[in-house]
Amino acid sequence: MTDTLLCFGEMLLRLAAPDRGHLFQDARLDAHFGGAEANVAVALARIGAPAALITTLPHGPLGDAALETVRAAGVDVSRVQRADGRLGLYFLSPPSGARGAHIVYDRLDSSFAVTPSEAYDWPALLDGVSWLHLSGIIPAIGPAAARLSLDAIVAARAAGVKVSFDGNFRASMWARWCPDPQPILLEHVASADLLFGNHRDIALLLGEPFSGDTPATRRAACEAAFARFPQLGWIASTARQVVDADTHRLSARVDRRKEWFETETIAVTQIVDRIGTGDAFAAGVLSCLEDGCSAAAERGLGLAALKHATAGDQSRTTSTDLAAFTGMPSDVRR
């Protein structure tokens, strides 16, 4: 793949409690930059896929530092805009034992959130691009952002650029302004070529229950989505069983209208950081979708599994790391 994979979305500063503690239990917080779409761009660039980012960052040292994290990974940042305002934040209490992770957002009126749709010159931004990747986090920000993400999709369709959409449902964000996000999400997915979402996400979209968590259930949900959305060509998803904060069981699958592939389930142990693993999965799938369902699912699983061993939102997995991945614990490479 030679054309650029363009990722569009908001970057955030993450402030996390250290050592799996509660927020403000300790006098310090660990800082990392992230954001779902930026995470995908970074993961792509680190394995050698041409990736670019569109976002709006504030002027000043926080915006500079956020920009540098993606630039240093090899992401093309020439399309990133700067504006007055603030960088969105989120606070993380990591999981520990029986306690799950908890995220609190502080992202209202960020530079990205207040930048209007007309500030983006989409025909120029999409030049030389094969895929536009974005997620349901953008419309969850508010009504203006929902219009922005739809405008981006419309422009991509007009330019002949394929659209990848990750549902990334954020209930707390939608609850602030939209009691029923289903119609907005339906409009986004209707124009997508690739959907990242499992059978639960599809049930939310279609208002149709898909009970159980089996390969047959997952396939039935995909068939229902393909029937509802004629434009849709691929659906990619993971299945995760949480054993405890340190051990998850993970598999991946990619579905097309007439074929599909689901990987074996692997154990992901000694987890360092769960955040960003879905974005790493998306990058793996996007990087080799043209090679077929099995190749895309296996690479997505590999990138997702390896991201669990990296602190912060962003993957640091290289193509060499990925080639050495077996799904089993490994010893020192020399």
Side-chain angles (χ1 to χ4, degrees):
M1 181 179 294
T2 56
D3 288 342
T4 297
L5 289 147
L6 182 59
C7 300
F8 173 51
E10 182 174 17
M11 287 197 71
L12 302 168
L13 173 61
R14 169 179 127 181
L15 298 172
D19 304 322
R20 294 192 172 182
H22 295 269
L23 277 173
F24 309 114
Q25 178 181 348
D26 194 280
R28 67 182 176 89
L29 294 171
D30 293 334
H32 295 276
F33 291 102
E37 297 84 1
N39 296 343
V40 174
V42 166
L44 284 164
R46 289 198 184 278
I47 61 170
L53 177 67
I54 298 177
T55 192
T56 299
L57 290 171
H59 295 299
L62 289 181
D64 292 346
L67 185 64
E68 184 55 31
T69 64
V70 291
R71 192 202 323 263
V75 176
D76 176 357
V77 296
S78 62
R79 297 169 175 84
V80 173
Q81 301 183 160
R82 307 298 293 272
D84 293 332
R86 63 172 297 232
L87 186 69
L89 308 175
Y90 80 91
F91 296 85
L92 171 68
S93 289
S96 181
R99 172 169 58 84
H102 182 223
I103 287 175
V104 178
Y105 290 113
D106 176 17
R107 60 196 298 173
L108 292 180
D109 298 325
S110 68
S111 295
F112 181 87
V114 302
T115 298
S117 181
E118 54 267 25
Y120 296 93
D121 182 359
W122 285 111
L125 293 169
L126 291 164
D127 185 43
V129 169
S130 56
W131 282 87
L132 173 69
H133 176 76
L134 69 169
S135 83
I137 296 175
I138 302 177
I141 292 171
R147 183 72 261 160
L148 167 63
S149 56
L150 283 171
D151 286 349
I153 290 172
V154 169
R157 294 251 67 91
V161 173
K162 291 185 174 64
V163 174
S164 165
F165 185 76
D166 190 334
N168 267 341
F169 187 74
R170 300 291 187 264
S172 63
M173 293 176 64
W174 284 108
R176 189 183 60 80
W177 75 276
C178 181
D180 181 17
Q182 183 188 34
I184 297 172
L185 291 172
L186 283 170
E187 195 171 359
H188 283 73
V189 177
S191 294
D193 297 280
L194 166 62
L195 171 66
F196 288 96
N198 61 23
H199 61 287
R200 297 183 187 89
D201 299 309
I202 294 171
L204 174 69
L205 276 173
L206 303 184
E208 180 180 344
F210 297 99
S211 59
D213 190 6
T214 66
T217 299
R218 295 169 203 143
R219 182 60 191 173
C222 289
E223 289 177 344
F226 286 134
R228 178 66 179 270
F229 305 112
Q231 178 68 37
L232 199 58
W234 297 268
I235 300 173
S237 64
T238 57
R240 180 185 298 270
Q241 177 191 357
V242 178
V243 179
D244 55 38
D246 295 301
T247 304
H248 293 184
R249 293 179 59 78
L250 192 66
S251 64
R253 65 179 289 144
V254 174
D255 287 74
R256 300 209 68 181
R257 290 180 178 270
K258 299 297 183 182
E259 62 176 313
W260 61 92
F261 178 82
E262 182 164 339
T263 69
E264 296 293 325
T265 299
I266 63 171
V268 182
T269 60
Q270 297 180 309
I271 292 172
V272 173
D273 200 326
R274 158 77 172 87
I275 305 299
T277 59
D279 304 323
F281 170 70
V285 171
L286 281 164
S287 69
C288 67
L289 198 61
E290 297 167 352
D291 296 331
C293 293
S294 60
E298 294 283 9
R299 180 174 286 190
L301 179 66
L303 270 179
L306 289 166
K307 169 58 190 72
H308 287 78
T310 301
D313 289 40
Q314 297 174 354
S315 171
R316 300 192 67 85
T317 298
T318 66
S319 56
T320 301
D321 299 327
L322 196 55
F325 176 74
T326 64
M328 300 292 291
S330 59
D331 201 355
V332 179
R333 295 205 314 266
R334 302 183 191 274

